[in-house]
Amino acid sequence: TYGDWSSDVCSSDLRDTRGGLHFSNAPAEPQYQYYMPDSWKVRRWGRSGGTGRIDGARRKAYDGLIAEVARRHRVDTALVKAVIRAESDFVPQAVSPKGALGLMQLMPATARLRGVWRAFEPRQNVEGGVTHLRYLLDRYNGNLRFALAAYNAGEKAVEKHGGVPP
């Protein structure tokens, strides 16, 4: 059962021209609306109520921090922002089903390896995530696809598959 939001999901104003439904926590096209059931928001992000729309101020709140850390580690600022958007959508308290934490969704072992002891503290999380991203870019000789695959799936998965895991 989908609870009391199922009728909202099936409404015609959320369907595309072919009748399909598109779900995303980060819609890339303006014709799609941000939608998240309230029950999922409470469990996942610790929020309740509201419209479920993306908060632009939340995204901009970390611009200075991201620029500073990215510059220091010689990582493109846009890349860091893209990783944060994909991983947590700029929610510093985000926790993945696998246990990844914070803005850059650091696994606890990776956080410790990178000196992050408070994974929900944005400065520590971004510092650790960018440090790890720099390490992966160096390890894979600047191959962005492999570095991002290793960031997401782990270095062992990239090694096992000889590249981007399926």
Side-chain angles (χ1 to χ4, degrees), residues 30-156:
Q31 70 266 30
Y32 300 120
Q33 294 181 350
Y34 182 78
Y35 181 84
M36 186 182 305
D38 286 340
S39 61
W40 191 82
K41 284 192 292 191
V42 171
R43 186 178 75 245
R44 172 83 171 165
W45 305 118
R47 291 182 293 174
S48 61
T51 64
R53 297 215 181 269
I54 294 170
D55 180 358
R58 185 179 74 225
R59 289 198 182 144
K60 291 180 177 149
Y62 304 104
D63 282 355
L65 170 64
I66 292 166
E68 172 204 329
V69 175
R71 184 176 47 255
R72 200 164 8 92
H73 291 283
R74 300 174 342 274
V75 176
D76 188 287
T77 301
L79 174 62
V80 176
K81 290 178 86 168
V83 168
I84 293 172
R85 179 167 181 189
E87 294 289 343
S88 71
D89 198 24
F90 295 85
V91 175
Q93 304 84 11
V95 178
S96 79
K98 299 274 185 182
L101 307 169
L103 287 168
M104 294 197 73
Q105 290 291 276
L106 299 174
M107 292 301 288
T110 303
R112 285 190 302 276
L113 178 68
R114 302 296 172 213
V116 175
W117 302 107
R118 294 180 307 191
F120 296 119
E121 198 281 308
R123 179 167 290 282
Q124 280 196 30
N125 191 280
V126 171
E127 184 72 41
V130 174
T131 299
H132 190 61
L133 193 52
R134 173 79 267 158
Y135 159 77
L136 293 170
L137 287 165
D138 291 343
R139 175 171 183 181
Y140 296 105
N141 298 314
N143 185 320
L144 184 58
R145 289 190 65 210
F146 285 13
L148 289 173
Y151 190 94
N152 183 264
E155 296 168 70
K156 289 181 184 176

